[in-house]
Amino acid sequence: QVFVCGDDMEAKQMVMDIVRALGLTPLDQGSLLAAQEIENYPLQLFPMWKFPVLLSLGLTAFFFFYCLIRDIIYPYVYENQDFSFFIAISIPNRICPIMALILLALVYLPGVLAAIIQLYRGTKYRRFPNWLDKWMLCRKQLGLVALAFASLHVLYTLIIPIRSFVRWRISSLTVSQALSNKTEPLNTTNAWLSDSYLALGILGFFLFVLLGITSLPSVSNNVNWREFRFVQVR
């Protein structure tokens, strides 16, 4: 993209035609007042990622300390049990899906707020408030960060069976059943719930990945509006 601004419409159109002839995409930034902002673009480093990253770090820290107090500090103080190893896998695996759902909700929430503001004003031609405008511009980044948290949740879930704590718990249950000479029958209700939960999780992650792929410019440029809305709704 080549950013173009100017007060002379004919001159600006001529420059944009030259840009197209070079095989590039001109982007009209308005009047000459935008020149300073355009000149500062090369000095910016991922400007649209600042808010999503800071928000993600803040929420992650909040949920981490909450889980730390709830699952490690509280049992250690009141029950004298050491579950400090939960910091490595259990707590991150609890934080990642929460963050993915919250960030995904933050992707669609500004669109709802924008629609409410438009209905309240009775027109769609007035500019949104500055905070909402910036929020809507970084929705793609919020969605990609949410996809990253969902992917981490998948990886953490896959390694659960090889954890020492899980293997110890399974072997302890097996030994206790052998000593009591009693085997618990298969609970088909729990089996259905577990398999359904995993199946829906796989389907949800697949749709999440599909949504993330279609948000990439190289992909979104090849789909029409109806196809893009179909993916968004799903």
Side-chain angles (χ1 to χ4, degrees):
Q1 292 179 339
V2 177
F3 301 103
V4 181
C5 68
D7 296 330
D8 190 331
M9 293 301 299
E10 293 183 2
K12 186 162 58 175
Q13 188 61 44
M14 185 181 299
V15 173
M16 295 176 70
D17 292 338
I18 295 174
V19 171
R20 292 190 185 93
L22 293 174
L24 304 175
T25 303
L27 185 62
D28 190 354
Q29 292 293 95
S31 67
L32 199 59
L33 294 175
Q36 184 177 1
E37 182 181 358
I38 294 175
E39 291 172 356
N40 290 331
Y41 280 166
L43 303 177
Q44 297 178 352
L45 184 63
F46 303 114
M48 291 292 103
W49 285 91
K50 184 177 181 180
F51 173 72
V53 170
L54 292 178
L55 178 64
S56 301
L57 290 177
L59 290 175
T60 301
F62 170 77
F63 287 116
F64 174 78
F65 285 111
Y66 172 78
C67 294
L68 184 69
I69 295 172
R70 180 179 181 272
D71 298 333
I72 297 178
I73 296 178
Y74 182 86
Y76 183 78
V77 173
Y78 291 96
E79 300 175 5
N80 199 25
Q81 294 181 334
D82 184 11
F83 293 124
S84 58
F85 57 89
F86 281 0
I87 295 177
I89 294 178
S90 296
I91 291 181
N93 196 33
R94 184 172 299 175
I95 294 174
C96 286
I98 296 174
M99 288 297 303
L101 292 175
I102 291 177
L103 293 176
L104 185 61
L106 292 177
V107 171
Y108 293 97
L109 181 59
V112 176
L113 295 178
I116 294 174
I117 291 175
Q118 288 179 339
L119 291 173
Y120 176 77
R121 292 175 174 176
T123 178
K124 63 178 182 180
Y125 297 106
R126 288 181 59 185
R127 186 179 180 87
F128 293 124
N130 190 44
W131 60 270
L132 182 58
D133 189 48
K134 292 182 178 180
W135 188 358
M136 294 185 69
L137 289 175
C138 66
R139 287 180 296 176
K140 181 184 298 184
Q141 288 77 9
L142 285 171
L144 293 177
V145 175
L147 178 59
F149 276 104
S151 302
L152 286 175
H153 176 54
V154 171
L155 294 177
Y156 276 117
T157 303
L158 289 176
I159 65 173
I160 285 178
I162 64 175
R163 293 181 60 194
S164 176
F165 173 70
V166 174
R167 288 187 283 114
W168 169 83
R169 190 166 59 181
I170 294 175
S171 62
S172 177
L173 178 62
T174 303
V175 171
S176 64
Q177 289 182 356
L179 292 176
S180 62
N181 196 22
K182 181 180 179 181
T183 303
E184 295 184 2
L186 175 64
N187 190 327
T188 56
T189 301
N190 290 336
W192 264 107
L193 291 175
S194 176
D195 289 356
S196 301
Y197 174 78
L198 293 174
L200 290 175
I202 294 172
L203 178 60
F205 182 68
F206 168 76
L207 295 175
F208 210 154
V209 172
L210 181 62
L211 181 62
I213 291 175
T214 54
S215 67
L216 299 176
S218 59
V219 177
S220 60
N221 291 337
N222 295 324
V223 297
N224 58 39
W225 175 248
R226 186 177 182 183
E227 294 169 343
F228 184 77
R229 289 295 300 170
F230 176 80
V231 175
Q232 291 282 323
V233 171
R234 294 300 177 273

